[in-house]
Amino acid sequence: MKRENAYLTVFLTLCLTFILPICLTLIDGVRWSGARLEAACAAEAGLHSIMAEYHRELLEQYNLFAIDSSYGTSFCGKRNTEAHLMEYLRKNLSSEDLFLSDFLYGDFFGLKPEDAELTGVSILTDQKGGVFRKRAVEALGDDIGLGLLEELKEWLMVIEGSGLEEGNPEELQESLEQQIQNFNGKEIQLPDGETAVLEVENPTEVLARKRKLGILRLVTEEETISQNSINPEELVMNRMGQGMVNVGNLEQALSEGDGLMERFLFQEYLLRYMGHYGSEHEKDALRYQIEYLIAGNGSDTDNLRSVVNRLCILREAANAMYLLSDQVKMEEIRIAAALACSLLAVPELTPLLEGVIVLGWAYAESIYDVKSLLSGGRIPLIKDSDSWHYGLGTALRGELQEETEGGQGLSYDDYLRVFMLMTNLDTLTGRAMDMVEADIRMCRGNRLFRLDGCYDRIRVCIRIRGVWDDGFEIIREKGYD
């Protein structure tokens, strides 16, 4: 019996020699896999926590998601976000906040965060603001009718094809008036044989005096115009021009489709989230933000004056073009000019007076047009006899105080769309980012907000180590797509 027991002992010893290493290997594999799973879960939870720290005011005002890497401080950079991520990792891997953790729980893995590094970031201002434009278009949604885009194309073709923005009717008017003045003081021969000194009276003198008052006084009540102002030199577009912005290293693929389509949607986003004359946002840094995008001046008054002047010039050119095509109205102009020249016995003045009257009548009509647009009315890009408002006599007398009507055609918003479309895209984007930055700085606790510190996407490398010297390196990339 003793020999049989010895054989059994040797047999069990040999079996355990093979079984125990296998069991221990399996246990260690389970421990390592569990530690890796816990590290991955902690990393994912930490990243989700970081992404949840999006800037609330930026989302509320402009429907844009981004991490403000300054976190309300004077410094924006990756170190702040890395510190926040490390804190989330430490809390996710700790059992300190568990009930009776010292007695009821044991940390089998003993994982601790060793390092969290942002190896890549994408910033809203990257790619000359292309990332900002992309997020703006995505924020707009799919509720914009594309029929408006086709109309916008047609309006732009008319303006560019007719050259409505190429000339300056005011300069042409002054040139014609100067040529007329050159006749003053000359001696002329009267029909009865006597001589006289010529004194030519400009038939549009009343309108010329009104023009010198300034366009805003003619089309708005100046006391109602916003006096808000900003300093563009303190904003992101100026910093971009000086190469003083933070730049990310995660390049995003921008839209490769129809560039006009993306631009149209970007402009519609701006019109939806930014104010303009007649649709102001009272809490914003500037009331006339769209006008700033077009003109780029520091004050609401200067921006509105610039846009209204441009609008008046465009309307004046369009009205003059219509007058030249309307035979009935041109006949009125010829009769008025011929009558004045016959009284002066200077027939060579007739073409000059006709040109002055055309421009004067067109200017008077443009004042009505701009007043109508600013009060919420509509004006066709090119008028016809039905949509023309002032008669020649009324225009030359300068009686321009009539109430405006609703009308048909383009609204003030539509003309703003045209002007934005004619503005350089990078300039438009830069000024839009200026407005976003200036508005967010108006919010409490955001005085030092910088748009070039807002991360749209991040890539991180997280290193975690356990009590058995297990090391895990986890690389993840997250964004607000």
Side-chain angles (χ1 to χ4, degrees):
M1 288 296 295
K2 289 183 179 181
R3 293 186 62 182
E4 292 177 1
N5 289 338
Y7 287 134
L8 182 59
T9 300
V10 172
F11 176 75
L12 290 175
T13 302
L14 292 174
C15 289
L16 291 174
T17 301
F18 290 100
I19 293 174
L20 284 178
I22 293 174
C23 291
L24 292 174
T25 300
L26 292 174
I27 292 172
D28 186 64
V30 170
R31 180 196 60 77
W32 186 87
S33 297
R36 183 178 63 177
L37 178 60
E38 183 178 353
C41 290
E44 284 290 332
L47 278 174
H48 281 294
S49 299
I50 287 293
M51 301 304 289
E53 292 183 319
Y54 54 83
H55 198 282
R56 300 302 191 268
E57 292 294 341
L58 190 61
L59 176 64
E60 181 178 336
Q61 292 193 42
Y62 288 100
N63 199 20
L64 296 175
F65 284 93
I67 302 169
D68 178 13
S69 63
S70 72
Y71 298 93
T73 67
S74 60
F75 171 77
C76 59
K78 293 189 291 184
R79 284 183 294 173
N80 290 341
T81 305
E82 289 170 350
H84 277 237
L85 180 56
M86 280 293 290
E87 181 63 17
Y88 285 124
L89 291 172
R90 187 190 66 79
K91 289 182 178 180
N92 290 334
L93 293 172
S94 172
S95 59
E96 294 174 358
D97 57 345
L98 297 176
F99 179 68
L100 295 177
S101 59
D102 292 337
F103 303 100
L104 301 180
Y105 299 92
D107 190 351
F108 185 60
F109 303 123
L111 298 179
K112 302 292 182 185
E114 189 177 65
D115 184 32
E117 178 186 3
L118 265 68
T119 59
V121 296
S122 173
I123 305 175
L124 285 179
T125 54
D126 282 350
Q127 297 170 254
K128 297 182 179 180
V131 175
F132 171 77
R133 283 198 305 271
K134 179 179 180 181
R135 296 305 172 215
V137 170
E138 292 174 353
L140 189 63
D142 300 322
D143 54 347
I144 298 297
L146 298 183
L148 180 58
L149 174 59
E150 296 303 317
E151 290 183 320
L152 187 57
K153 289 180 181 179
E154 294 177 5
W155 300 334
L156 188 62
M157 288 177 61
V158 171
I159 291 174
E160 292 182 342
S162 304
L164 298 183
E165 283 235 313
E166 292 179 2
N168 189 331
E170 184 175 356
E171 293 179 356
L172 180 58
Q173 176 90 11
E174 292 176 354
S175 175
L176 293 174
E177 290 175 356
Q178 183 59 49
Q179 293 180 55
I180 292 174
Q181 290 300 319
N182 291 337
F183 282 86
N184 285 337
K186 293 183 178 180
E187 290 188 355
I188 58 173
Q189 189 75 29
L190 299 177
D192 57 5
E194 296 183 4
T195 61
V197 177
L198 183 64
E199 290 291 337
V200 182
E201 182 179 349
N202 185 351
T204 63
E205 181 64 29
V206 176
L207 291 172
R209 290 198 298 268
K210 286 184 175 294
R211 190 191 290 268
K212 292 177 181 178
L213 295 175
I215 185 65
L216 287 184
R217 294 185 62 181
L218 296 175
V219 299
T220 64
E221 297 179 4
E222 288 189 291
E223 61 273 13
T224 65
I225 296 175
S226 168
Q227 301 300 312
N228 285 24
S229 63
I230 59 173
N231 184 1
E233 293 184 359
E234 297 177 351
L235 300 173
V236 64
M237 186 177 179
N238 182 60
R239 297 199 306 274
M240 289 177 70
Q242 298 180 15
M244 298 173 62
V245 294
N246 298 310
V247 179
N249 56 352
L250 288 181
E251 187 166 334
Q252 296 199 36
L254 303 181
S255 174
E256 297 180 357
D258 184 1
L260 184 60
M261 170 66 76
E262 181 186 354
R263 177 157 187 165
F264 167 72
L265 294 175
F266 178 55
Q267 291 184 185
E268 292 306 305
Y269 168 85
L270 297 176
L271 280 168
R272 174 174 296 186
Y273 289 98
M274 293 186 181
H276 58 76
Y277 185 88
S279 181
E280 300 87 350
H281 297 170
E282 295 300 324
K283 294 182 180 180
D284 290 342
L286 291 180
R287 300 291 188 269
Y288 313 143
Q289 295 174 299
I290 300 298
E291 286 83 351
Y292 173 78
L293 304 186
I294 297 168
N297 298 311
S299 72
D300 274 332
T301 302
D302 289 342
N303 287 318
L304 183 61
R305 180 183 293 110
S306 177
V307 170
V308 168
N309 269 324
R310 186 174 176 182
L311 183 57
C312 185
I313 289 172
L314 187 150
R315 291 301 321 146
E316 190 174 351
N319 290 335
M321 185 174 70
Y322 164 69
L323 285 175
L324 293 172
S325 68
D326 189 303
Q327 296 182 0
V328 174
K329 288 182 171 55
M330 282 304 299
E331 187 62 28
E332 290 184 58
I333 292 171
R334 292 189 188 98
I335 292 173
L339 179 61
C341 291
S342 64
L343 294 175
L344 296 170
V346 188
E348 59 266 30
L349 269 176
T350 303
L352 292 177
L353 288 179
E354 287 181 6
V356 168
I357 294 172
V358 167
L359 292 176
W361 198 358
Y363 175 70
E365 188 73 9
S366 71
I367 295 299
Y368 172 82
D369 294 345
V370 176
K371 287 175 64 177
S372 297
L373 291 169
L374 294 182
S375 62
R378 290 178 173 271
I379 297 295
L381 191 55
I382 303 296
K383 288 193 169 185
D384 55 24
S385 58
D386 293 332
S387 56
W388 194 265
H389 183 72
Y390 285 127
L392 178 57
T394 302
L396 295 181
R397 290 193 299 271
E399 299 172 355
L400 311 179
Q401 304 301 320
E402 296 183 21
E403 293 294 327
T404 58
E405 303 173 356
Q408 301 293 323
L410 282 68
S411 67
Y412 182 60
D413 286 15
D414 294 331
Y415 281 96
L416 291 178
R417 287 183 173 97
V418 172
F419 289 154
M420 281 195 289
L421 193 60
M422 300 174 74
T423 304
N424 177 271
L425 181 58
D426 289 339
T427 300
L428 186 72
T429 304
R431 291 172 180 170
M433 292 191 294
D434 277 355
M435 280 291 88
V436 173
E437 192 169 89
D439 287 347
I440 299 301
R441 287 180 179 180
M442 298 283 290
C443 302
R444 183 178 180 181
N446 290 276
R447 186 174 60 86
L448 301 175
F449 174 82
R450 291 176 52 143
L451 202 62
D452 59 314
C454 292
Y455 297 159
D456 167 73
R457 172 174 289 275
I458 60 175
R459 183 173 61 222
V460 300
C461 178
I462 299 171
R463 299 177 184 88
I464 297 175
R465 190 163 296 280
V467 292
W468 285 285
D469 206 31
D470 296 313
F472 303 97
E473 184 176 274
I474 302 167
I475 298 175
R476 294 287 188 273
E477 186 172 318
K478 294 287 183 182
Y480 291 109
D481 298 340

